[in-house]
Amino acid sequence: MTATNGERLYDVIVVGAGFGGLYAIHRLRGDGLSVLCLEASDDIGGVWHHNRYPGARCDVESLDYSYSFSPELQQEWSWTERYAAQPEILAYLHHVADRFDLRRDIRLDTRVIATTRDDEAGEWSVVTAAGESFRARFLILATGALSSPKSPDLAGLENFTGAVYRTSSWPAEPVDFAGKTVGVLGTGSTGVQCIPEIAAEAERLFVFQRTPSYTLPSGNRPLDGATVAAVKSRYEDYRAELRQSRAGIPAPTSGEPGTDYSREEKRARWDACWQAGRGMPSHFVDSMKPGPTNDELCDYLRDKIRAVVIDPATAEALCPKTYPFGARRICLETGYLEAYNRANVTLVDLSANAFEHFTSSGMRAGGRDYPLDAVVLAIGFDAFTGPVVRIDIRNGRGERLAECWAEGPRTYMGFMTAGFPNLFILTGPGSPSVLTNVVMMLEHDVDWVADCIAWLDQHGISSIEADESAQTEWMEHVAELAAGTLYAKHNSWYMGSNIPGKRRMFLAYTGGYAGFAAAAAEVAADRYRGFMVR
Ligand code: NAP
């Protein structure tokens, strides 16, 4: 097809070649559509390409955190560990790209910087950093929720003459910390993973902690043949069961509230979860809700820190006290707490010794200088909205999406935002997204979008967009559900509160995968109720 300006007109342009983008190419191509995937990086893999820091690993089990769209792929690929490390996940994505011949529709080193909708032609015009332009009837942002790194708001960093590494764009070549004094900033999921690895290599490690995390032992281990065979023998059924769950991951539960049990009985159950590396948040049905069981679980986890970390002052500083378990992302760890028992590791509590600035040779905090050879920034992401608004997206009336979202993102079910026809977002704000097994969620969203495009084409409809009132209703529903959770009462990247100036609101749908998927299917079956078509 030819666009109105004489360029080639694609049916669909997909932005991003991570888990979502790769499956989108496969599915849409299978539907007979022409697809072009534009990827900013020099290779495929999305966050798994960039976040190659030491210790990077998924915290969803590998048998779950993998594609289900191809039974053959499911059978032929064998994960080696319960929680796959970054190199293995990246190798998997490369295997998928090769196996399904996806690379021929991907342009690497092609950063999309702007896109404008031509309403009359019914085309999106996409402009890249190199000044190229491409046109398509539909645009799909497969740009991820946690792919736009938070900018380092650290005074004096530009004066620091040592090496600066960001976990979110770790160098491809090995980094050698042997003999070096290293400082790590950030103790979220990323910091918790890289700190034990760097501690084992560096001569000296200072961990600069602003807010401690609740951590649980991952219980990672090599996957034995029997476990893999048991899942593979019924993979379709197993996936179907996960699709009926809240988060798309197994969540073993007693089905009972903790309030039915004494403190000692609860602790005995939690000890079993701790040993197994499984089930702590889900064992009691009220563990993740405000109330006595959650309070007791917080006490239990703080006692675990005190039991593992030998130095009492360090242990106390590592104990989260300003927010409850479940209000922020729970971090799975391997050797994290034990790392603080090493003689070469020092925890610097920035909440008591405030960060002042970087100097040419290190960092100053709490009136003290910390000489450093290298600093590792594990300071997080501008979640959900960052990857979308960093592209200059304009609709046919010249309105900028970033401005439409200035008071917070607005979508109908995460898929589309009103006023921007034929622009789809995968795992967008207002969808369950990061609260689920994201690979399962991405497959769902790709299938929903592909089914929608097929339906439009079958009915000779050229344009679809979210209806403003359906969108308002949806966002109110998202906010209402979130208001009853622990998340809404505390600061975290889920709330946008890690980014200065960002509107504070809960950015995901907390109603769970199964309920969301059922609602999305119902909307589609009802001729895309809540969307306007032309
Ligand atoms: P994060 O959870 O936002 O943690 C960032 C850390 O950096 C926090 O401890 C934060 O402290 C600190 N920080 C930020 N700015 C700072 C500053 N200016 N000075 C000092 N400290 C600063 O980010 P993340 O660890 O990269 O994780 C983000 C999400 O990515 C995770 O929650 C998870 O969903 C995903 N992830 C998953 C995995 C996995 O699968 N295992 C691994 C990594 C990441 P404050 O809390 O005080 O702001």
Side-chain angles (χ1 to χ4, degrees):
M1 271 188 297
T2 308
T4 44
N5 68 349
E7 288 172 12
R8 174 170 180 188
L9 179 67
Y10 291 91
D11 289 313
V12 187
I13 289 178
V14 176
V15 185
F19 263 105
L22 292 178
Y23 176 50
I25 300 169
H26 177 69
R27 167 70 210 257
L28 294 164
R29 200 200 263 170
D31 286 357
L33 299 174
S34 58
V35 190
L36 173 67
C37 176
L38 303 175
E39 166 56 55
S41 184
D42 61 356
D43 213 337
I44 63 162
V47 293
W48 293 108
H49 173 65
H50 293 287
N51 288 261
R52 50 178 74 218
Y53 57 84
R57 189 178 289 285
C58 189
D59 59 6
V60 174
E61 296 192 37
S62 37
L63 287 164
D64 308 333
Y65 192 85
S66 46
Y67 290 120
S68 65
F69 69 82
S70 160
E72 298 78 23
L73 172 68
Q74 233 169 213
Q75 291 299 326
E76 75 199 15
W77 183 267
S78 287
W79 297 101
T80 63
E81 289 181 273
R82 181 179 175 201
Y83 293 102
Q86 174 271 337
E88 191 170 12
I89 299 173
L90 191 58
Y92 172 75
L93 288 171
H94 280 261
H95 171 75
V96 170
D98 292 337
R99 192 191 188 291
F100 297 99
D101 188 23
L102 304 179
R103 292 180 202 271
R104 66 184 156 91
D105 288 327
I106 304 172
R107 282 179 66 116
L108 300 172
D109 292 309
T110 306
R111 178 174 290 281
V112 172
I113 56 165
T115 179
T116 310
R117 161 94 173 168
D118 178 340
D119 281 341
E120 208 167 305
E123 296 168 6
W124 278 98
S125 166
V126 172
V127 177
T128 73
E132 293 172 292
S133 96
F134 302 94
R135 287 194 164 228
R137 295 193 292 134
F138 297 95
L139 188 58
I140 299 179
L141 300 182
T143 40
L146 289 160
S147 56
S148 180
K150 172 181 156 154
S151 58
D153 45 354
L154 296 161
L157 186 60
E158 67 283 5
N159 302 326
F160 178 58
T161 54
V164 178
Y165 299 101
R166 293 216 58 170
T167 49
S168 51
S169 52
W170 200 263
E173 60 280 5
V175 175
D176 185 7
F177 287 126
K180 302 264 170 42
T181 299
V182 182
V184 174
L185 261 95
T187 51
S189 299
T190 302
V192 161
Q193 287 185 333
C194 69
I195 284 164
E197 302 288 324
I198 298 172
E201 196 185 318
E203 184 163 313
R204 190 108 173 70
L205 171 63
F206 291 99
V207 176
F208 298 100
Q209 170 190 272
R210 203 160 65 175
T211 310
S213 289
Y214 287 99
T215 60
L216 299 176
S218 68
N220 186 38
R221 55 177 177 265
L223 270 178
D224 62 275
T227 305
V228 175
V231 171
K232 284 191 176 180
S233 70
R234 56 181 297 272
Y235 228 146
E236 299 304 319
D237 291 343
Y238 178 74
R239 299 281 198 188
E241 284 159 20
L242 291 185
R243 284 191 204 100
Q244 289 312 311
S245 72
R246 212 179 153 68
I249 50 176
T253 179
S254 65
E256 300 158 320
T259 43
D260 283 359
Y261 290 87
S262 71
R263 179 177 182 276
E264 286 64 37
E265 284 168 327
K266 276 200 281 287
R267 286 197 163 218
R269 300 283 191 100
W270 287 330
D271 276 342
C273 296
W274 184 274
Q275 292 305 330
R278 185 186 287 271
M280 189 76 78
S282 53
H283 184 79
F284 293 115
V285 294
D286 51 354
S287 297
M288 304 285 275
K289 295 179 184 151
T293 304
N294 181 265
D295 295 344
E296 281 185 50
L297 182 51
C298 296
D299 285 340
Y300 171 86
L301 293 171
R302 283 188 285 261
D303 284 348
K304 280 292 182 194
I305 295 170
R306 293 175 186 120
V308 176
V309 178
I310 295 166
D311 175 56
T314 303
E316 236 23 64
L318 285 166
C319 286
K321 290 172 187 156
T322 56
Y323 67 97
F325 178 74
R328 293 156 68 104
R329 175 80 171 205
I330 299 159
C331 303
L332 295 194
E333 57 86 21
T334 304
Y336 175 67
L337 296 176
E338 289 81 357
Y340 293 97
N341 292 335
R342 299 177 64 105
N344 67 330
V345 176
T346 303
L347 179 71
V348 180
D349 179 6
L350 295 179
S351 69
N353 307 282
F355 168 81
E356 292 173 42
H357 55 82
F358 274 91
T359 64
S360 62
S361 57
M363 203 182 114
R364 191 170 170 80
R368 205 189 131 179
D369 283 311
Y370 296 89
L372 302 171
D373 299 311
V375 62
V376 172
L377 302 179
I379 58 173
F381 300 88
D382 183 355
F384 289 102
T385 53
V388 176
V389 301
R390 70 177 166 176
I391 301 172
D392 184 3
I393 300 171
R394 291 170 195 251
N395 66 15
R397 298 189 292 273
E399 293 162 339
R400 292 188 61 216
L401 188 143
E403 275 160 27
C404 298
W405 284 11
E407 291 304 309
R410 293 169 54 73
T411 70
Y412 181 39
M413 307 194 83
F415 294 124
M416 302 192 95
T417 187
F420 292 79
N422 293 14
L423 171 69
F424 293 103
I425 309 172
L426 303 183
T427 63
S431 79
S433 181
V434 293
L435 299 179
T436 63
N437 169 353
V438 171
V439 179
M440 176 185 283
M441 196 71 239
L442 284 165
E443 283 189 315
H444 169 274
D445 284 6
V446 167
D447 285 335
W448 191 94
V449 170
D451 289 347
C452 176
I453 292 174
W455 183 84
L456 295 171
D457 284 349
Q458 274 158 22
H459 291 82
I461 300 167
S462 62
S463 158
I464 183 165
E465 71 176 287
D467 176 65
E468 186 80 51
S469 58
Q471 175 170 283
T472 300
E473 220 173 283
W474 179 256
M475 293 313 285
E476 283 169 3
H477 176 53
V478 170
E480 202 181 323
L481 285 183
T485 69
L486 290 164
Y487 297 119
K489 297 171 181 62
H490 299 274
N491 289 332
S492 68
W493 60 259
Y494 289 117
M495 295 293 295
S497 51
N498 64 329
I499 303 297
K502 191 165 174 174
R503 168 82 192 275
R504 198 175 186 284
M505 64 186 275
F506 193 75
L507 294 162
Y509 174 75
T510 53
Y513 175 91
F516 177 81
E522 209 185 290
V523 161
D526 197 9
R527 301 178 64 81
Y528 294 89
R529 186 181 68 234
F531 291 90
M532 298 186 304
V533 294
R534 266 197 304 278

